[in-house]
Amino acid sequence: MSGIIWVIVVGFVAGIIARLLSPGPNNPSGFILTTVLGIAGAFLATFIGQAMGYYGPEQGAGFITATIGALIVLFIWNRLVARRMISDPGNR
C-alpha cells in the first residue's frame, strides 16, 4: 500500500516538473489534468521498471524515472491532441 502512495506523490511532483520541461501549445491545461498525467507517468515508469527487474513488487519508481515516465505520457498526450484524436478538456 505504501508503494502506491509513493507512486502517487512522486507522480504528482513529476507531472508538474514534466510540464515545466515540456512547454508547448498542446500541454494539458489545468492543475488536475497535469497531476493525473504525471501520476500515469509514474505508474508507467513503475510498471516498466518492475517488468525489467529494476524494482521489486512493492517498490515504486524513483523521482527521476517517474519524471521521464511523465514526459513520455505528456508526449503521447501532445501527439493525440495535435492530431485531434482527443480534445484538451482544459483548453476550451
Side-chain angles (χ1 to χ4, degrees):
M1 185 65 171
S2 65
I4 292 174
I5 293 172
W6 173 252
V7 170
I8 291 171
V9 170
V10 169
F12 169 74
V13 175
I16 293 170
I17 290 175
R19 183 160 189 251
L20 292 174
L21 292 175
S22 171
N26 294 328
N27 270 334
S29 299
F31 179 74
I32 293 177
L33 186 58
T34 300
T35 302
V36 168
L37 291 176
I39 292 170
F43 275 108
L44 174 71
T46 299
F47 175 74
I48 291 172
Q50 287 177 350
M52 294 177 71
Y54 291 123
Y55 305 122
E58 293 295 319
Q59 290 179 316
F63 180 71
I64 294 172
T65 312
T67 303
I68 293 169
L71 282 169
I72 292 169
V73 171
L74 284 172
F75 175 77
I76 293 169
W77 176 270
N78 288 339
R79 295 299 96 216
L80 292 175
V81 169
R83 290 187 179 158
R84 301 196 189 281
M85 295 178 82
I86 59 172
S87 63
D88 189 356
N91 200 11
R92 293 182 187 210

